[in-house]
């Protein structure tokens, strides 16, 4: 047969095989099937393939003749072995299979000629298909070219018919023919993690009876059917849903990247925007306990993503569903946030609603009730601003006892009386004691009233009324970050904007500690090589210049800021508290490279170099520290500190 017939035959065989296997055929694999179908003709020196092969073709034809070993299963196995390296290359294994299928199609088509082939060469058995001579093609007959044109036409028709079917697969083609939703479920499960998927066809509104034709983006497959986006609403497509399927099929859309974040928080629901990009496709599932009951509006034609009153249950909710409750306070929230990003789209938590400037200056008073053993354990007073997580009350005796036990364990370890495991247990016990000794604020705001509501054997009952505010009153009059840091930008290490790993700032915990969104997870991160004065360590009083350092970090790194991290080349990635140890790079000025924030803290006098853990920028940081000391910048001019020495 002619090479054109074999090439089209290779394509036809490949498209039929791809349809049966449920593997969509791409252009590269189709071309490979056509090329593989031509390879056996290498033993014919007069053919196009033989001329390209040159001496190899002449040797094969002289030694074995036409339709010798290259037209056999042995030839197919040798060809598959020679091209096997393709299967080891990422995304090329399908091309390798297509080459083999094309080669096999050549053998089948030549077996349909009158002469047949030596399929089991070197055995002399001639393989033919079909068995009757009059049904096979006689390539020597006067009208052979006409009959071959018929074969070529049939193969071309098969290729044209199976080209679209190969994209659906046999299952997809069957469900498209039947049009029932149940037939689409397996296909959806295959695509959902990597592609957007649309439900296409006819749906009926069970309330009005109206029939609709179109396509709807599928959010998820649930027990009762599909959740789909219908305009601004989510609707359930199923026999008991908001829309009933009549005749439907699936359509594959563009690739997506799925980012999942699990989180637990308490405070105003507006703070959820630290984890949610309202501009991207996102869904929130979980539970929220509110400090007061709320009334939710309902839409009988939409899927209820948010249910409940004081205990909210969220199922594929979006920020727009929770926005009316943004000023409400959650005593506890356990959620999973899923973002689905399109090509070129970047996750940007926050948005205008998350910025402090957009938040109201204050909300209704929120009561926080707890019991202390003694009234002297209170560490806050009326008019004081507290951040979420700040201490409200502490038992100094319990703290001192925990510190004594810890210091004793460290001394015994230094003397070799206990091993490292026992020391680690002592540290863990001390941390637990510190947590038990401290009552922390569940929200951020200003304390308006401290009320003593009773006393008894268990202790004194205290109710603190907090008016929610996003920042302390003094923050409004502070100098901007750019005004503070601009004069000395060029003295900081720089990083090109396309390097490092992308993270998002979720919360500033202290001057040298932040909470990040990293690889879809919430992580606490300690800045490598620096130590700012303490403000929140329950074992220590607030240290000199600690509030200034914490405020600088908070204003420089507002919630939702995109940053990048790199790693210490000679140290661990995590500390003993399982915090990430990172170099944090931020863009401190527009149209400039990224600057190393760790170095900025040292250069501007907000931190001292911390040399007690190995890090690769020690000498560089020491140089910045010497400049800050010479200029009496920050803590060097305000406090009586000395540099850390090993």
């Amino acid at each position: 047969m002619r090479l054109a017939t074999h090439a089209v035959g290779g394509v036809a065989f490949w498209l039929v095989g791809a349809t049966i296997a449920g593997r969509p055929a791409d252009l590269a694999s189709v071309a490979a099937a056509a090329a593989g179908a031509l390879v056996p003709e290498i033993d014919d020196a007069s053919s196009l393939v033989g001329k390209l092969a040159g001496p190899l073709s002449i040797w094969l034809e002289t030694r074995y003749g036409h339709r010798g070993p290259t037209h056999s299963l042995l030839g197919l196995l040798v060809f598959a072995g020679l091209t096997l390296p393709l299967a080891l290359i990422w995304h090329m294994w399908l091309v390798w299979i297509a080459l083999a299928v094309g080669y096999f199609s050549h053998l089948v088509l030549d077996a349909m000629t009158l002469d047949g082939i030596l399929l089991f060469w070197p055995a002399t058995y001639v393989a033919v298909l079909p068995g009757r001579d009059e049904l096979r093609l006689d390539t020597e007959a006067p009208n052979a070219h006409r009959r071959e044109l018929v074969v070529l036409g049939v193969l071309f028709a098969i290729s044209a018919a199976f080209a679209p079917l190969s994209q659906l697969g046999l299952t997809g083609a069957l469900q498209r023919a039947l049009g029932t939703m149940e037939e689409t479920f397996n296909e959806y499960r295959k695509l959902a993690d990597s592609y957007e998927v649309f439900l296409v066809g006819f749906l009926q509104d069970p309330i009005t009876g109206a029939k609709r034709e179109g396509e709807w983006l599928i959010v998820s497959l649930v027990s009762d059917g599909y959740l789909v986006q219908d305009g601004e609403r989510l609707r359930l497509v199923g026999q008991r849903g908001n829309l009933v399927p009549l005749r439907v099929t699936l359509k594959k859309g563009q690739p997506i990247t799925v980012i999942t974040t699990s989180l637990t928080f308490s405070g105003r629901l507006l703070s959820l925007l630290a984890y949610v990009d309202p501009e991207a496709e996102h869904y929130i599932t979980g539970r929220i306990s509110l400090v007061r009951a709320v009334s939710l509006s309902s839409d009988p034609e939409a899927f209820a993503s948010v249910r409940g009153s004081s205990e909210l249950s969220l199922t594929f909710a979006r920020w727009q569903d929770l926005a009316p409750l943004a000023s409400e306070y959650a005593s506890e929230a356990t959620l999973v946030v899923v973002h689905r990003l399109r090509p070129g789209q970047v996750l940007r938590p926050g948005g205008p609603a998350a910025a402090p400037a957009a938040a109201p200056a204050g909300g209704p008073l929120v009561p926080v009730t707890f019991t202390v053993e003694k009234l002297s354990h209170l560490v806050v007073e009326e008019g004081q601003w507290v951040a979420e997580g700040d201490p409200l009350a502490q038992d100094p005796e319990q703290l001192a006892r925990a510190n004594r036990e810890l210091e004793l364990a460290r001394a015994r370890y230094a003397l070799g009386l206990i091993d490292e495991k026992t020391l680690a247990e002592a540290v863990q016990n001390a941390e637990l004691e510190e947590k038990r000794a401290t009552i922390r604020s569940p929200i951020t705001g200003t304390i308006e009233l401290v009320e003593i509501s009773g006393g008894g054997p268990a202790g004194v009952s205290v109710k603190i009324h907090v008016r929610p505010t996003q920042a302390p009153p003094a923050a409004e009059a502070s100098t901007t970050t750019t005004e503070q840091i601009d004069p000395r930008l060029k003295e900081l290490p720089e990083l090109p904007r396309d390097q490092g790993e992308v993270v998002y700032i979720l919360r500033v915990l202290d001057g040298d500690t932040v909470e990040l969104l990293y690889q879809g997870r919430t992580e606490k991160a300690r800045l490598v090589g620096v130590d700012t004065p303490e403000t929140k360590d329950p074992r220590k009083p607030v240290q000199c210049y600690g509030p200034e350092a914490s405020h600088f970090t908070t204003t420089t790194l507002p919630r939702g800021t995109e940053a990048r991290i790199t790693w210490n080349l000679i140290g661990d990635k995590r500390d003993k508290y399982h915090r990430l140890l990172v170099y944090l790079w931020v863009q401190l000025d527009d149209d400039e490279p990224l600057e190393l924030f760790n170095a900025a803290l040292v250069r501007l006098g907000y931190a001292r170099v911390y040399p007690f853990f190995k890090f690769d920028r020690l000498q560089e940081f020491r140089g910045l520290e010497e400049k800050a000391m010479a200029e009496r910048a920050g803590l060097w001019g305000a406090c009586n500190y000395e540099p850390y020495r090993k």
Side-chain angles (χ1 to χ4, degrees), residues 595-614:
E595 271 83 32
L596 181 54
F597 188 71
N598 310 48
L601 289 173
V602 175
R603 181 66 187 88
L604 300 175
Y606 290 108
R608 290 182 286 173
V609 176
Y610 194 73
F612 301 107
F613 295 96
K614 293 181 180 180

Side-chain angles (χ1 to χ4, degrees), residues 282 386 468 508 526 622:
H282 65 277
V386 292
V508 172
R526 177 72 161 76
R622 281 296 194 198

